[in-house]
C-alpha cells in the first residue's frame, strides 16, 4: 500500500528563509518527493520542522486526504505503478493536458526519427482540429 505525507527539510531553505512543503510518496519500498506550492517561514514551523500553523496544516491535510483518496481509487492498478509513476500521477492529477502541444511535440519526434509519412498524417489531423475549433 502506498502512503503520502508532508515533509519539510531544513536543507531546502530558500534565500528568503522560507521552506517548501514537499509531498513524500512511499510505495514499493521507495520514496519519491514532489514540491507543493506552499512555502513556510521559520515561525510557522517547530524546531524539528513540523508544521505548527493551524491554517496551513489544515490545507495540507486536505491535500493529503485527496491524494490518499486517489490512491484508494486506483485499486488493483496501484500494483502496476512504480513509486515514480505514482508520484507523477499524483502530482499531475487535475492538470489539463494540451493535446495540440503534445501532438506537435510528437510530430517533431517522428520527424527526427525520419518518419515523415506518419508525421505528415498527424500534422494533417492536428491542422484540421485547429481549423475546426479555431485554435492556434
Amino acid at each position: 500500500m502506498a502512503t503520502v505525507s508532508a515533509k519539510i527539510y531544513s536543507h531546502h531553505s530558500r534565500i528568503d528563509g522560507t521552506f517548501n512543503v514537499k509531498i513524500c510518496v512511499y510505495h514499493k519500498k521507495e520514496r519519491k518527493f514532489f514540491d507543493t506550492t506552499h512555502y513556510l517561514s521559520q515561525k510557522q514551523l517547530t524546531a524539528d520542522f513540523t508544521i505548527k500553523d493551524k491554517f496551513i496544516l489544515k490545507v495540507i491535510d486536505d491535500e493529503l486526504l485527496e491524494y490518499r483518496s486517489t490512491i484508494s481509487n486506483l485499486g488493483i492498478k496501484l500494483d502496476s505503478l512504480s513509486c515514480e509513476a505514482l508520484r507523477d500521477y499524483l502530482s499531475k492529477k487535475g492538470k489539463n493536458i494540451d493535446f495540440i502541444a503534445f501532438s506537435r511535440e510528437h510530430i517533431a519526434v517522428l520527424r527526427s526519427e525520419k518518419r515523415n509519412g506518419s508525421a505528415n498524417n498527424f500534422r494533417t489531423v492536428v491542422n484540421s482540429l485547429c481549423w475546426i475549433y479555431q485554435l492556434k
Side-chain angles (χ1 to χ4, degrees):
M1 184 64 181
T3 61
V4 290
S5 60
K7 301 285 184 190
I8 302 168
Y9 293 105
S10 61
H11 62 278
H12 288 170
S13 174
R14 291 179 26 165
I15 294 172
D16 64 358
T18 59
F19 302 88
N20 182 244
V21 179
K22 300 189 180 309
I23 301 298
C24 174
V25 179
Y26 184 80
H27 182 55
K28 293 185 178 180
K29 299 181 181 179
E30 282 188 67
R31 286 188 326 166
K32 298 291 180 184
F33 297 88
F34 63 92
D35 293 337
T36 65
T37 57
H38 307 290
Y39 289 89
L40 304 177
S41 68
Q42 188 69 45
K43 290 188 282 186
Q44 295 171 299
L45 302 171
T46 62
D48 63 343
F49 286 90
T50 57
I51 303 167
K52 69 178 178 182
D53 185 312
K54 301 284 187 204
F55 176 76
I56 297 294
L57 195 57
K58 169 89 171 90
V59 170
I60 292 172
D61 282 344
D62 289 346
E63 287 180 16
L64 290 174
L65 187 63
E66 186 166 329
Y67 291 138
R68 289 177 183 130
S69 175
T70 301
I71 290 170
S72 294
N73 290 337
L74 283 172
I76 198 157
K77 295 175 190 172
L78 181 63
D79 293 335
S80 65
L81 294 176
S82 68
C83 186
E84 187 172 356
L86 179 60
R87 177 204 55 196
D88 293 343
Y89 179 77
L90 292 174
S91 66
K92 293 179 178 148
K93 187 173 184 330
K95 294 183 181 176
N96 293 331
I97 298 172
D98 185 353
F99 180 74
I100 301 299
F102 168 79
S103 299
R104 289 186 173 144
E105 288 173 17
H106 184 65
I107 291 167
V109 169
L110 290 174
R111 291 211 186 279
S112 71
E113 294 173 351
K114 306 288 188 220
R115 296 177 59 196
N116 292 322
S118 295
N120 289 338
N121 289 339
F122 283 130
R123 187 190 71 206
T124 301
V125 172
V126 169
N127 289 343
S128 296
L129 287 171
C130 290
W131 180 75
I132 291 170
Y133 294 105
Q134 299 177 354
L135 303 173
K136 292 182 180 182

